[in-house]
Amino acid sequence: MNVIFQHKGGGLFGFLIKLWTRSRFNHVELEFSDGTRFSAYPKGGTQFKAPLTAFEQHQWVRVPLLIALDHEIDLRNWCHSELACRYDWAGILLTQIFPIGRHSKTKWFCSEVCAAALAPAFATIGKLKPHRISPAKLYRLMK
């Protein structure tokens, strides 16, 4: 299992995230052992996606997670429980752009949902509030 960070592509929104966070990353996803990916997406909210194609591989940086298979199953089950939640546009604005800390309890953005999923297994993430974590910050925490 991996946490994967997108550093190429992402359009204007991705460019703005990179600029604001002063990072090379604009998006983050969980990649399961079978290649299936999970995250929150501006178009469609939280969802599972098919494995990356050979063409897409160069756009991502992988950080391997050394976890037991039963923990991966727990993670996937948690992701299923959050499936089809809407994208948290207000949360990005009020936690990442203006650090007021306001966010939705029923909507997610990419780094927030990934951090929330990983928090029970990783103490460094579990001590933080998922809505305060950008893709860049999650990458620093996972390295």
Side-chain angles (χ1 to χ4, degrees):
M1 181 165 184
N2 301 297
V3 181
I4 57 174
F5 298 86
Q6 187 176 34
H7 66 98
K8 291 185 180 174
L12 177 61
F13 185 57
F15 172 76
L16 292 172
I17 290 171
K18 288 190 234 182
L19 185 67
W20 186 258
T21 61
R22 289 174 247 171
S23 167
R24 64 185 178 135
F25 302 115
N26 62 297
H27 182 66
V28 60
E29 301 181 358
L30 301 176
E31 181 182 54
F32 293 94
S33 297
D34 64 358
T36 302
R37 301 172 293 140
F38 178 82
S39 192
Y41 306 90
K43 294 179 182 174
T46 55
Q47 56 188 284
F48 285 94
K49 288 196 170 185
L52 293 171
T53 65
F55 177 74
E56 296 170 313
Q57 296 287 333
H58 76 283
Q59 298 177 4
W60 299 84
V61 172
R62 283 184 167 76
V63 176
L65 295 180
L66 304 175
I67 60 172
L69 182 58
D70 58 331
H71 285 122
E72 181 174 341
I73 292 168
D74 291 343
L75 258 170
R76 189 185 292 258
N77 288 337
W78 185 90
C79 293
H80 274 286
S81 76
E82 297 301 318
L83 196 57
C85 292
R86 294 178 62 195
Y87 194 77
D88 193 4
W89 288 104
I92 284 191
L93 184 65
L94 299 174
T95 63
Q96 303 295 313
I97 308 298
F98 302 108
I100 298 168
R102 301 211 33 167
H103 67 106
S104 172
K105 294 183 191 312
T106 60
K107 299 176 186 175
W108 299 99
F109 53 89
C110 68
S111 52
E112 178 186 27
V113 75
C114 290
L118 295 168
F122 294 91
T124 55
I125 297 170
K127 292 186 273 184
L128 303 172
K129 295 177 181 176
H131 60 275
R132 298 277 192 184
I133 298 176
S134 68
K137 187 171 190 175
L138 187 57
Y139 180 78
R140 287 191 303 274
L141 291 166
M142 297 306 300
K143 283 307 279 180

